Amino acid sequence: MRLISLSRLLASVALCCAAVGTVNAAPVAVMGYNVEGGYLPGATEPTVSQYIQQAPKADIYMLSELTISWAKPLANTMGNFKYIVSKNAVETTDALGIFYNSERFTLVDNTELVFGVHKYERPAIIATLQEKATGKTFKVVGNHLMRGQADLRQLQAKKLVAWAKKQSGNVIALGDYNFDYDLPTAKGNKAFNLFMDSGEWHWVKPAALLKSNCDPQYNSILDFVFIHGSYQSASSEILFPEEEYCVDDEQRPDHRPVFATIEL
């Protein structure tokens, strides 16, 4: 009969316990969607709900141009998710909303980044989430940058870069950035260049590039998912590529959602 030394026995027990206690974080699935509600809505909540149900299941949703009264029914559609929305928003505000699976995540903090470039700007909304199983904390940022005034959009891009430089942890940023990444030329506008050239943000670029807005005047991507900080892997896709999705019937949004899976 071979005797095992006490030190070897204790080492084996420690290794076993460490293995049992280790919890690997599952990938985080996120979806950004401009739902065309809020000011002068061009879609309806039931139709948006149907598309969310048809999309792959996400852990976190970021909705832009959100009508405030849509938030609760859409959260129920997602699976009784909890959410934060733009502060001081009213029914006709193009609000932003971050919806999260409260069975997986705890909301640690929420705040806004006010750009201060225009009285009708949409401040970024920021949720700090902690994964219950692992204790890992990260931020989710929702954005909808200026559309009509390029100089103000460029200022917003610079401010998001400056904010990112102060962040030490992971950040997932998603929304309608109006960066006009033109598919024929594979180039974005100046705000896109300012944002990407900083090196602070990584674009989770879809494997198959598809225009994310339905406006026939543009063949471009306006909706993005970005990561700040280190990560293991990431992939994304623009959903609902069918041409009929963009038939404007005042029921469906005029943007396609972007879905991403990220392993932090």
Side-chain angles (χ1 to χ4, degrees):
M1 177 175 167
R2 181 177 296 175
L3 298 178
I4 301 176
S5 69
L6 179 60
S7 61
R8 288 180 62 189
L9 179 61
L10 292 175
S12 298
V13 171
L15 181 60
C16 175
C17 292
V20 170
T22 299
V23 178
N24 293 322
V28 179
V30 302
M31 190 173 97
Y33 198 7
N34 182 327
V35 297
E36 202 184 2
Y39 179 72
L40 297 178
T44 64
E45 180 272 316
T47 301
V48 171
S49 179
Q50 289 174 15
Y51 281 117
I52 289 174
Q53 290 174 11
Q54 292 172 29
K57 179 70 173 177
D59 303 296
I60 299 165
Y61 298 84
M62 206 302 292
L63 306 184
S64 53
E65 292 192 19
L66 172 68
T67 302
I68 290 298
S69 63
W70 295 6
K72 186 174 182 178
L74 290 177
N76 291 337
T77 292
M78 295 165 187
N80 295 317
F81 276 32
K82 292 186 177 180
Y83 57 89
I84 65 168
V85 296
S86 300
K87 296 178 181 178
N88 303 318
V90 298
E91 190 71 359
T92 54
T93 299
D94 280 352
L96 299 170
I98 294 174
F99 299 72
Y100 62 95
N101 180 354
S102 60
E103 293 184 1
R104 181 174 179 183
F105 303 108
T106 298
L107 179 66
V108 177
D109 185 38
N110 69 284
T111 186
E112 292 191 351
L113 175 62
V114 177
F115 298 105
V117 301
H118 194 278
K119 66 179 181 179
Y120 293 130
E121 71 178 15
R122 292 163 286 239
I125 61 173
I126 305 167
T128 302
L129 299 178
Q130 183 176 53
E131 187 173 36
K132 294 179 179 180
T134 64
K136 186 175 183 62
T137 300
F138 61 96
K139 287 183 170 66
V140 179
V141 179
N143 283 297
H144 188 180
L145 303 190
M146 301 290 293
R147 180 58 179 162
Q149 295 176 264
D151 56 334
L152 301 185
R153 182 172 58 248
Q154 291 158 23
L155 285 174
Q156 289 178 310
K158 290 179 180 179
K159 288 178 180 287
L160 285 168
V161 168
W163 177 86
K165 288 180 178 179
K166 299 176 183 178
Q167 309 307 310
S168 57
N170 293 108
V171 181
I172 300 172
L174 62 169
D176 180 355
Y177 285 79
N178 283 312
F179 280 162
D180 281 305
Y181 184 85
D182 184 64
L183 296 182
T185 63
K187 294 180 179 178
N189 57 30
K190 188 173 180 179
F192 175 82
N193 296 334
L194 289 168
F195 196 77
M196 296 305 299
D197 291 348
S198 70
E200 295 294 331
W201 296 100
H202 169 76
W203 177 19
V204 185
K205 192 173 183 179
L209 297 181
L210 172 73
K211 63 180 291 179
S212 70
N213 71 103
C214 292
D215 191 328
Q217 298 182 73
Y218 301 95
N219 189 10
S220 63
I221 296 174
L222 302 181
D223 306 87
F224 297 81
V225 177
F226 298 105
I227 303 173
H228 169 78
S230 61
Y231 63 97
Q232 300 300 314
S233 64
S235 61
S236 76
E237 61 177 317
I238 298 171
L239 303 179
F240 307 122
E242 303 83 8
E243 289 186 14
E244 56 266 28
Y245 176 86
C246 279
V247 175
D248 189 4
D249 57 3
E250 296 299 317
Q251 301 292 316
R252 70 192 82 194
D254 59 354
H255 284 241
R256 293 181 167 100
V258 181
F259 182 88
T261 303
I262 302 166
E263 187 176 0
L264 296 174

